[in-house]
Amino acid sequence: GVSDGAFPLPPDIGTAEFESDAWLNLTIFNGFAMTDEKTFICNPTDYTAWTAGPRGQSITIEDYRCGSSRPNTIKYIITVCPAFGVVRWEPVAGTTGRAYTPPPELQYQTLAGKDARFITKAEFVKYIGRMLGAFREKAARLAAKQTAAVKAAQKQGRRGKRKPPPPPPVAPIKPYVSWDNPACHGNGEIADFRGVGVTKANFMKLPTYSGDMHCPVEQSHAAVALVMRQFCNARRPTEAGEDPLQPYLDEMEKTPLG
């Protein structure tokens, strides 16, 4: 391939440079921010009914969630990068559940005028703007911390010596964003994202499904799903009114995302 100047091309497969993985440690990859949407359905997976009892005398507590046609469902968007781990995450349109009314910022409609069942393009654009703001805040704090560390190290090493000029401040990591190209992502085109700071120089379009490039996103979802699945399996609701969506959203805040 030919480099567009934004990202260095990886070494040829099979070469010593490729096998060493040293090219993956380039500073430019620290800001490679990958965005995707995920869904978690709040149903138990380890039983259809909970049973317990000594000497074969079972006490059965039915878990109505196993037969529910409209389970509590959390749909969310997440961005991860090597430098910060989770940059930002948010619930998105399509999150539904018992005793739950979406806040105004999640009440989107499709072009046909129906309530959106998943993230819309308009919502996605706004999220990218908020995510880039969060990224830059994290990058500025990290740069300030690194600059202070350099100054402290310089001060420690100059005892009894002539004072050297202060070191230049550490430059904040720049964000390089990527997502795949469904319609809700603008089909991978950036025209609608220029207003929130996305340009050809800091954007990488991926195919419709890019499991390899988005592996960190998949790993983060796996970590969240594990915690949430344990939470689901530990609950024992017997009636619909005992299982509102909000406790699941609260638990999401305590997972590796939070």
Side-chain angles (χ1 to χ4, degrees):
V2 179
S3 174
D4 61 3
F7 290 94
L9 291 174
D12 293 334
I13 296 176
T15 62
E17 291 81 4
F18 182 88
E19 297 298 333
S20 72
D21 285 343
W23 60 280
L24 289 173
N25 295 323
L26 295 174
T27 303
I28 193 171
F29 288 109
N30 286 339
F32 189 51
M34 295 156 279
T35 298
D36 205 358
E37 296 85 32
K38 295 297 175 187
T39 299
F40 182 80
I41 298 175
C42 307
N43 270 356
T45 58
D46 63 348
Y47 56 86
T48 56
W50 183 68
T51 63
R55 296 184 295 277
Q57 298 175 353
S58 295
I59 302 172
T60 301
I61 300 178
E62 298 290 346
D63 192 320
Y64 83 95
R65 294 176 299 174
C66 299
S68 175
S69 60
R70 300 185 65 182
N72 288 329
T73 301
I74 299 174
K75 297 186 178 182
Y76 67 94
I77 186 169
I78 180 175
T79 302
V80 298
C81 81
F84 309 121
V86 175
V87 179
R88 187 179 180 91
W89 79 279
E90 297 177 4
V92 298
T95 295
T96 59
R98 301 170 192 89
Y100 173 76
T101 300
E105 62 269 21
L106 295 185
Q107 295 179 9
Y108 284 86
Q109 292 188 326
T110 65
L111 295 177
K114 298 180 179 180
D115 290 340
R117 295 184 178 181
F118 204 57
I119 192 169
T120 65
K121 180 179 175 181
E123 186 179 9
F124 184 74
V125 172
K126 291 180 180 179
Y127 168 80
I128 293 298
R130 292 191 292 270
M131 181 276 295
L132 286 172
F135 186 106
R136 294 187 176 100
E137 288 179 6
K138 291 175 181 288
R141 290 197 297 268
L142 177 61
K145 183 177 180 180
Q146 291 172 330
T147 299
V150 171
K151 290 181 178 179
Q154 186 185 68
K155 183 178 180 180
Q156 183 71 19
R158 71 167 185 252
R159 290 181 176 178
K161 300 179 181 178
R162 185 176 179 181
K163 183 178 180 180
V170 176
I173 298 171
K174 295 181 179 180
Y176 295 91
V177 296
S178 78
W179 51 79
D180 51 13
N181 62 353
C184 63
H185 292 178
N187 296 313
E189 303 301 325
I190 65 169
D192 295 315
F193 297 88
R194 292 194 177 98
V196 296
V198 179
T199 67
K200 288 184 177 180
N202 67 2
F203 172 68
M204 177 181 286
K205 179 172 68 173
L206 299 173
T208 302
Y209 179 74
S210 302
D212 291 338
M213 291 298 289
H214 278 122
C215 186
V217 177
E218 305 297 340
Q219 290 177 336
S220 66
H221 179 62
V224 171
L226 175 61
V227 174
M228 292 299 295
R229 187 62 59 205
Q230 293 170 342
F231 179 75
C232 285
N233 290 340
R235 289 175 68 84
R236 295 290 186 266
T238 57
E239 297 180 7
E242 296 180 3
D243 193 48
L245 176 66
Q246 192 58 50
Y248 295 93
L249 291 172
D250 295 341
E251 187 67 18
M252 283 279 284
E253 292 287 350
K254 305 174 187 177
T255 69
L257 293 184

